[in-house]
Amino acid sequence: MVSPTPPSAHVQGNCVAQPRLPRAVRMVSLRAGQSDSIRQRPGETIFLKGGEQVKPFPPHPDLQPLTPTCNPPCLAAAMPPGVSPGPEGPSAPAPSGRAGRRAPPPPRRSPGLPEAKRRGRARRLHQEVAELQDGLQHLDLAAEKPVPSGTGLAYDKELTSFHCLWDKSFPECPARLTSIWTKLVEDGLVERCVPVQARLATEEEILLVHSPQFLALMASTADMEEGKLRALSDTYDSVYLHPNSYHCARLAAGTVLAVVDKVLSGELRNGLALIRPPGHHAQRERMEGYCLFNHVAIAARHARERRGLQRVLIVDWDVHHGQGTQFIFEDDPRVSYNTPSVLYFSVHRYDNGAFWPHLPDSDSSAVGRGQGCGFTINLPWNQPGMTDADYISAFLQLLLPVAFEFQPQLVLVAAGFDAAIGDPKGQMLVSPACFAHLTHMLLALAGGKVVLALEGGYNLHSLTEGVSAALGSLLGDPCPPLAGPAAPCPSALQSISKALGIHAQFWPSLQHVEVSALSTEDEGVEEALGETGGVPSPVELPCPEALPSLEAPPPRRPPACTGLVYDERMTQHYNMWDSQHPERPQRVTRALSRLQELGLERRCLRLPPRLATEPELLLCHSPEYVARLRATVGLRPRELHRAGSRYNSVYMCGESFEAACLAAGCVLSAVDAVLAGQVQNAVAVVRPPGHHAEPDAACGFCLFNSVALAARYAQQVAGRPLRVLILDWDIHHGNGIQHIFEEDPRVATTWQQQQSPWPRASGHCWETPHWPHLQSWHYPCLHTPSPVLSMPSAWPALCTVPTGPAFVSMVLCSRYVAGHMVAHGDASGHPMVLSFADLSAWCYDCEAYIHHPTLLPAKILAHRLKFGNELPALL
Ligand code: X5A
Ligand code: ZN
């Protein structure tokens, strides 16, 4: 029935060879005013159910413009006789194929209540159709605007024009800013930033947070004599005033606003405001703790009230609790949709109340008040000496889960550096590099709209190193490595656990199922607990490294460069008995052309592809197995079929061995480039895949275990102990990798996998290939039990077309052959059609059937129209 075809021709088969992918379509239900919270993803199309339009983004220069007007797909044609099709009537006959030739519905019996219900249902459905069509009319096919770029850096020498007149050794001093500036110039960071002009905050802006009386009092200090300044200062806690203090505090606040505005407008990606005096202790009617005006609080209110943001996250990693900020927002009136607009997170030294500002409000029990409950998150440390591991844990376990749930539109950081190692006040041990990591973690939020405002930091050395490290992350530099393996200390864990316990009631992301609550009959749990007798025993990690020393900061690496390795020859591995097999050559050709379309490919450094050598394959596979695979080269189809069927879910052709060697070799090439420092990181677009391959067996489309080989190879090349982390996000369990490394402590493997039947059970129900970078799914698993889809012969039909000397094999479904959907598309100019016959969607841009979860509303509706009931199992 099937004849093997030359691979090159095969790749050009008619169905999926087009490089352009479908724009994913997203249908969204919105309440009024919410539309700016919907973000378009690259190449994605959004239409709204209620008819409200998503503000179109200007087209991305890298993407070709699409048809400017887009009509709805052929739902009109899809409407059953019971539903009025609208003015034009059905524009085409029922779809072709067996499905389309179904018998008409049986004649009505007696009218009555059921009939009235049916009509009511039809009316509602009609309304939904109208809504859907209306939504489709507003399809916005413009691509996403370019990602903002540029890191803003705001600084003004003017900000050094005040100091404590009566205490020359006061820690909050002008040298803090000058030494930071010198360091940033030295490190070459200033020239990589976009300068942002400092400016004064207006009175109106200060009044967003502070009272008019307090503002007037601060303004009056500009003309005071030293004696009066000192007397006034002494009526507050830990502040000094200088004749220039008021001016500089206004300049500091305005400077944060200047950076925030450029980030919100998209002129800059992120930014840093180098300012003093600090701000986070200042309250509505009080200066305190070296602070006059609360710059970050003003910026948050400004973002909300003047720039219309709904959610702002404030992260305060200054070693002191920003009680001023907390007080300002803890009972802040809600803004919209019952959600307070500002989430305040502070990690600080507390010492059970013994550390300044000595307030019970700084404990984790303070969670906000009224509508603001849960939107103040305090993480108090009860011991000095907290390390990188403690701060990283605080972020990973507490802040980030909440932040990802909150989905801020802007992140403001009260960036003090007094938790840095060597700071006289903080007495903590945080390395400068850690500030790069903390900053980097926040960049995943708010589309990268992160603004750092300097707060404390009184050891000039660690202050300047810390600022430099944080700025490096804003600029996109890779984070400097942290000191060797380390875990949070017991006291830190206690603080984190307590805060988690308190905030789990507000944030589902913090909820965990207790191990004790799991069924004891669950063998896995018992087994895992059995190993340690129930007592947690921390893993022992090899090769601990020395603690970081301030004396020898790691050399700064050049800006990140990403490697890309790909070789066309990997497409020569193909399934000659089933060209619809999901692991097909087009997976890599399409991936690569998508990278090209998006302009990503030309931003990478192309790395040389190569074949994995025999000794390299032996790093993970047995000599017998390698020999057995090598022997498949040149076998005849019948022998190849037999060779493949020895294994679970494996096919082979004459070129499979070479393709598998190439896939593995390309990954090794990427490892070479990364370890040599030629690139910061790399992507290998390879097939066949590898993670199911066992030491002596192919498995699940995989021949050689490329990733496992790469891990072993990296350790070999490095010539020193190297800890390797393998993250396997394939939907299937990487059984091969696990078996290879189960007993190797140098390789940690982690899986994020669904409970899926494979690889435990074999069968022929393939899940769709999962490419996280591509938002489309081709050729979905067609096992959805619907009356039409269960007809076996409708899909696929095969035809072979002679094209000159070669043969091009095309697998076409019967609907394509009959041409109904194509005809409709040609006639209507619709970019996409949904078949009423079997709910498949055809995309003319891709010339392929596509599926995406966002098509589901349309499919559900079509199913309802056709069968009068709900679509059974979802795709
Ligand atoms: C911003 C900052 C410290 C206040 C300490 C008062 N303030 N003892 O770090
Ligand atoms: Zn501080």
Side-chain angles (χ1 to χ4, degrees), residues 280-281 318-320 418 456 458:
H280 71 149
H281 299 306
D318 185 285
V319 84
H320 301 93
D418 38 14
Y458 307 100

Side-chain angles (χ1 to χ4, degrees), residues 171 173 175-177 179-180 183-184 274 415-418 420-423 432 435 454-469 550:
C173 59
R176 296 177 64 232
L177 286 189
S179 58
I180 290 172
K183 168 77 176 157
L184 297 184
L274 291 176
F417 292 83
D418 38 14
I421 186 165
D423 188 278
F435 291 103
L454 183 67
E455 296 280 356
Y458 307 100
N459 173 320
L460 295 187
H461 193 170
S462 61
L463 168 66
T464 54
E465 294 279 359
V467 172
S468 174
L550 272 176

